[in-house]
Amino acid sequence: MNAQRRNIRSLHIPAQPEQVPLARRAVLDILNGWGVPTGSEAVHALRLIASELLTNVVLHASAATMHIGVVLELCDGAWIRMGVHDGHPECPAPGDSDTEATHGRGLRIVHALLEELNGVVLTERTDDGGKTVWVELPCRVDADRPTLVSRPRPAPERTPCRRP
């Protein structure tokens, strides 16, 4: 049997706008602690994705949740997985905003970025009635610096959240 090596870190923050930059900084600190250089594509992507997902919780789910959970996993030094959890039952969906809009494009950006970098996104319902949005991004942590690598898309082990 081939066991995966995983580094897992988590944090919980109040679902308040002023907490988003602090949580984003914590995500970057965790990645840096794992040896993922600040200037890598993976860090730039996860910084933006964390900002978008955390902001979505604050804007759309804070009435149903007091705290946001964030989980980061570095799996076998080959990919990074991040989950953002809230207590709201509705699954997020990309908006129909035009390209000039200043709001409503976050999930479209997340999806486009993950597609470009061979990552995946999945929303999972949780036992508390909420959901966790998971993103997975290939990233090999080498001795000197990580590089994005291709990997087969994982078969979801979770039950996806379906919109009515």
Side-chain angles (χ1 to χ4, degrees):
M1 180 189 291
N2 197 3
Q4 285 187 344
R5 291 174 293 137
R6 291 180 184 244
N7 290 325
I8 301 173
R9 298 282 307 271
S10 63
L11 57 126
H12 296 275
I13 64 163
Q16 300 167 347
E18 63 273 10
Q19 296 297 316
V20 172
L22 300 174
R24 184 178 56 235
R25 179 77 248 162
V27 166
L28 294 176
D29 289 345
I30 291 167
L31 295 173
N32 193 13
W34 285 338
V36 183
T38 303
S40 71
E41 286 181 300
V43 169
H44 288 302
L46 286 169
R47 180 178 187 268
L48 175 60
I49 291 167
S51 289
E52 294 297 337
L53 296 180
L54 292 165
T55 299
N56 278 352
V57 173
V58 169
L59 292 176
H60 305 292
S62 60
T65 188
M66 292 183 62
H67 288 88
I68 304 169
V70 180
V71 176
L72 284 158
E73 297 179 44
L74 176 65
C75 302
D76 283 337
W79 54 280
I80 295 170
R81 182 175 183 224
M82 180 175 64
V84 176
H85 174 77
D86 67 69
H88 197 283
E90 188 173 329
C91 293
D96 291 329
S97 299
D98 66 45
T99 57
E100 300 299 317
T102 58
H103 296 289
R105 300 180 312 158
L107 287 178
R108 289 196 184 281
I109 292 169
V110 167
H111 284 268
L113 185 59
L114 287 168
E115 183 176 325
E116 179 181 323
L117 299 175
N118 198 28
V120 294
V121 61
L122 178 72
T123 303
E124 163 188 46
R125 289 211 184 275
T126 54
D127 291 339
D128 65 356
K131 80 263 183 199
T132 301
V133 177
W134 293 100
V135 296
E136 297 175 355
L137 188 64
C139 179
R140 179 159 296 132
V141 179
D142 295 327
D144 296 330
R145 65 181 179 84
T147 55
L148 288 171
V149 295
S150 295
R151 71 174 177 89
R153 293 184 186 257
E157 298 175 9
R158 304 167 288 280
T159 304
C161 182
R162 303 262 185 237
R163 293 189 63 80

